Amino acid sequence: MKRDFTTLMILARKNAGLTQEGAAEQLGLSRRGLAYYEQGKIPNDTIVAKMMQVYNSPLIGYVYLSENTATGQRLLPPIKTVGVSSGAMQLRINLKKAAHEYEDIEMICSDDIIQPAELGRFSKCISSLDGLISSILSLKMLKLKRNQKKMEGI
């Protein structure tokens, strides 16, 4: 996973049209410091947040959190690499599933208590919502992924 994140940082920088020198300057780092990160050292939260902004890449933050922090690993659903059409279709499918679960969520949560007998159904509803969140995030990250594929073909 560390290798994937390292590759992602490099591709995001290149997609932003920045050299190491230009990126380092905008990030407030030395070129050597940026090279250190691009060789595999995982940056801290502050540097990752700056990279997201400078490179215009929310995917860097998502991958950092989901792969390099225990909280992100437990909280964030996995996202899939999708094309525009398949991403839109996945969103539609997951929207329908979530809409179908909505009545159950209302019934279960209307009294502000999830009864033991409701736990299984509630978990299924939450799973549908995770699918919806995942498909939304996949589409949100689509621009960078498309650009990465272009860069990999060079």
Side-chain angles (χ1 to χ4, degrees):
M1 294 297 173
K2 185 166 107 172
R3 179 79 178 127
D4 293 339
F5 184 70
T6 300
T7 302
L8 177 62
M9 284 189 296
I10 295 166
L11 288 173
R13 174 180 55 76
K14 289 179 179 180
N15 286 337
L18 295 169
T19 62
Q20 274 190 338
E21 292 81 13
E25 183 178 322
Q26 290 188 41
L27 293 168
L29 300 170
S30 66
R31 191 203 61 76
R32 187 175 180 180
L34 180 58
Y36 188 59
Y37 293 133
E38 290 186 356
Q39 292 170 0
K41 171 79 169 136
I42 301 299
N44 65 37
D45 288 352
T46 304
I47 299 297
V48 173
K50 286 180 183 178
M51 286 178 174
M52 286 174 54
Q53 182 180 15
V54 169
Y55 301 163
N56 190 26
S57 174
L59 185 58
I60 289 176
Y62 189 89
V63 171
Y64 171 78
L65 291 173
S66 64
E67 293 182 0
N68 298 297
T69 69
T71 302
Q73 290 169 0
R74 290 179 183 228
L75 184 62
L76 298 173
I79 58 174
K80 299 173 186 169
T81 301
V82 296
V84 175
S85 296
S86 62
M89 188 56 68
Q90 280 302 116
L91 177 61
R92 182 178 170 95
I93 290 167
N94 285 313
L95 276 167
K96 282 185 173 184
K97 285 180 184 178
H100 180 72
E101 306 290 349
Y102 186 72
E103 286 186 27
D104 285 346
I105 292 171
E106 282 182 331
M107 294 297 291
I108 292 168
C109 299
S110 64
D111 60 359
D112 282 337
I113 299 169
I114 301 170
Q115 301 293 335
E118 299 170 325
L119 281 174
R121 187 70 192 130
F122 182 74
S123 292
K124 185 176 179 199
C125 293
I126 294 302
S127 180
S128 290
L129 292 176
D130 280 343
L132 179 58
I133 292 166
S134 179
S135 61
I136 291 168
L137 289 170
S138 293
L139 282 172
K140 183 175 180 166
M141 306 300 169
L142 186 62
K143 179 183 175 195
L144 181 61
K145 289 178 186 174
R146 186 180 67 237
N147 289 337
Q148 285 177 356
K149 290 184 187 258
K150 287 180 186 175
M151 292 297 294
E152 290 169 0
I154 296 175

